[in-house]
Each structure stands twice: as structure tokens, then as C-alpha cells.
């Protein structure tokens, strides 16, 4: 059951927050950021990217040639650096062989899951793949857009209901992130101040219980 048309949701969020200018960075740096941001905040990723920039390590060849310990040291601020250094090397290897990989090829790389693959495809390769993250699911469930048991089902839902358009998908994902961080917070959503409270199942429930 669709309570609110996701296209209306997009328009309301865009009207409220405006353009978010995502993704920060350009070229292969976007793919590096998509891996480094796994399980950490973007501020930590920025520190790691700054280190990589300092040593000219924002390209696949340089990453592949870098010594493991040196690479780990540079990406340490983003956490899980042992794993992430391997993931960066795995992706670099693929990229050198094929800098325009398909979703299937990306998902075959160890360390690249659906969210990372779709971020790379959307923001770096301009392919209309809807990025589903925990923010998107949290907000969509609270509003009552639907109820699905997996990220891939949510992806199907958005791609079926929203025009396949890189610019819209790009903006929509960024809007989910900013809304989750400012109003629709995990533990304490600020429903009273939320511009979506009239459209939101969770927001209405909270209002009724006051
Ligand atoms: S009303 Fe509350 S639960 Fe609904 S979108 Fe706004 S902050 Fe989130």
C-alpha cells in the first residue's frame, strides 16, 4: 500500500532542502569514497581522502602499487582499514582492466555490496541506479511508502515508481541523507518540527499520542 507517492516526497524534500551538490569529489575519488564510507561518517572519510590526496593516491594505479602498510596508515581515519585497504586494491584491479564496469562486475568484487556498487554507478558512472541505504529505508518505512524485507526490494520499488533519471536519483539519495541527519534521526525523530508530519504515518501516530 502506497500512502504517499515517492515523487511527491522527492518534490517536498527538494523544496525544503534544495540541492545538496553530491557526491563530493570527482573521478575515481568517488569510488574510493564509496568504499571508505562503509560503516563510518563522512567526516572520517574526508580525513582519509586528504591523506590519499597528499600522497597522490587517488587513482587505481597508485593504490595498486602502494605498499599495504602505507595504504592502511593513510586510510586509518575511516576505520576498518585492514579490510578497506584490500577492498580498495580489489576495486583498483578491476578498474585498471575495465573502467566502465557493470553492476554485476562490481558486485563480484570482494568488499563491494549493493550500496557501494550503486553509489559508484550513479555518482561516478552516471548510471541510473537508485542507492538504498539505512537512511532511505528508515525514512520510507516511517512515512509508510512500503514495507520490504531487503534493500533490493526497496531498490525495485523506487526504480519502478520514480523515472529512471540520474539527476533525480542523485538528488533523492542526498535528500534522504540530509533528512535522516537533521530531522528524521534514528533515536529521536523531530516530528513536531518536520515538514512531512502531515504525510507521515509515524509522525501522525506520534501526534495522536500526545
Ligand atoms: S514526521 Fe517524523 S518520522 Fe516522519 S519523516 Fe518527519 S521526522 Fe521522520
Amino acid at each position: 500500500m502506497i500512502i504517499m507517492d515517492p515523487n511527491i516526497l522527492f518534490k517536498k524534500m527538494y523544496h525544503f532542502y534544495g540541492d545538496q551538490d553530491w557526491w563530493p569529489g570527482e573521478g575515481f575519488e568517488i569510488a574510493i569514497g564509496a568504499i571508505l564510507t562503509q560503516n563510518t561518517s563522512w567526516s572520517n572519510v574526508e580525513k582519509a581522502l586528504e591523506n590519499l590526496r597528499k600522497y597522490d593516491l587517488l587513482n587505481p594505479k597508485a593504490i595498486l602499487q602502494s605498499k599495504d602498510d602505507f595504504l592502511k596508515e593513510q586510510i586509518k581515519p575511516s576505520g576498518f582499514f585492514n579490510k578497506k585497504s584490500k577492498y580498495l586494491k580489489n576495486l583498483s584491479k578491476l578498474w585498471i582492466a575495465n573502467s566502465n564496469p557493470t553492476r554485476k562486475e562490481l558486485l563480484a568484487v570482494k568488499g563491494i555490496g549493493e550500496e557501494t556498487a550503486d553509489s559508484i554507478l550513479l555518482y561516478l558512472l552516471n548510471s541510473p541506479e537508485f542507492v538504498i541505504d539505512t537512511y532511505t529505508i528508515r525514512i520510507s518505512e516511517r512515512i509508510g511508502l512500503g514495507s520490504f524485507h531487503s534493500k533490493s526490494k526497496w531498490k525495485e520499488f523506487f526504480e519502478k515508481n520514480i523515472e529512471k533519471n540520474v539527476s533525480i536519483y542523485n538528488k533523492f539519495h542526498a535528500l534522504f541523507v540530509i533528512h535522516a541527519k537533521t530531522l528524521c534521526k534514528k533515536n529521536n525523530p523531530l516530528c513536531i518540527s518536520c515538514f512531512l508530519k502531515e504525510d507521515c504515518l509515524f509522525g501522525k501516530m506520534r501526534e495522536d499520542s500526545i
Side-chain angles (χ1 to χ4, degrees):
M1 178 177 55
I2 297 180
I3 302 292
M4 187 187 190
D5 182 335
N7 292 283
I8 305 283
L9 174 63
F10 172 71
K11 283 186 187 145
K12 289 195 175 195
M13 287 172 120
Y14 190 69
H15 179 74
F16 188 81
Y17 292 109
D19 234 326
Q20 299 301 303
D21 284 332
W22 269 40
W23 181 292
E26 54 186 39
F28 193 68
E29 180 180 338
I30 293 173
I32 295 175
I35 286 179
L36 295 182
T37 199
Q38 293 172 1
N39 303 306
T40 194
S41 68
W42 188 256
S43 56
N44 291 331
V45 175
E46 276 175 340
K47 289 176 201 149
L49 286 173
E50 201 43 54
N51 290 344
L52 295 174
R53 188 169 297 112
K54 189 162 79 189
Y55 294 105
D56 211 5
L57 286 173
L58 289 173
N59 66 80
K61 202 169 166 197
I63 285 181
L64 212 50
Q65 287 172 347
S66 63
K67 294 246 186 305
D68 289 346
D69 286 346
F70 186 75
L71 182 60
K72 285 179 197 171
E73 191 59 34
Q74 306 320 314
I75 64 168
K76 214 173 200 169
S78 71
F80 303 97
F81 52 90
N82 284 320
K83 279 184 176 175
K84 287 180 182 176
S85 64
K86 287 192 187 111
Y87 299 167
L88 287 177
K89 290 208 170 193
N90 294 345
L91 178 65
S92 298
K93 205 179 278 177
L94 168 73
W95 215 264
I96 287 166
N98 174 11
S99 60
N100 192 20
T102 61
R103 190 169 193 267
K104 197 173 167 197
E105 286 165 338
L106 281 168
L107 289 173
V109 174
K110 188 159 192 254
I112 298 195
E114 290 186 76
E115 186 184 332
T116 307
D118 290 336
S119 298
I120 294 170
L121 288 160
L122 178 65
Y123 290 102
L124 174 53
L125 298 176
N126 290 316
S127 172
E129 298 288 344
F130 204 96
V131 179
I132 302 293
D133 60 5
T134 50
Y135 297 146
T136 310
I137 295 175
R138 180 164 88 221
I139 295 166
S140 301
E141 281 182 344
R142 282 177 175 172
I143 288 176
L145 291 187
S147 176
F148 304 106
H149 297 301
S150 65
K151 282 187 171 181
S152 44
K153 288 283 173 204
W154 273 111
K155 184 174 163 67
E156 256 176 58
F157 167 79
F158 279 105
E159 292 183 356
K160 195 173 139 209
N161 287 287
I162 307 273
E163 176 196 349
K164 279 216 162 210
N165 177 297
V166 171
S167 171
I168 294 175
Y169 284 14
N170 176 328
K171 290 182 171 77
F172 211 165
H173 177 59
L175 290 166
F176 273 124
V177 175
I178 180 113
H179 188 55
K181 286 184 175 172
T182 55
L183 289 170
C184 203
K185 298 175 183 200
K186 186 177 176 188
N187 296 323
N188 185 25
L190 305 174
C191 300
I192 287 177
S193 324
C194 181
F195 59 99
L196 293 170
K197 63 175 181 281
E198 296 304 321
D199 307 293
C200 174
L201 280 185
F202 188 87
K204 278 186 193 153
M205 252 165 47
R206 279 188 118 191
E207 213 171 41
D208 291 347
S209 67
I210 293 171

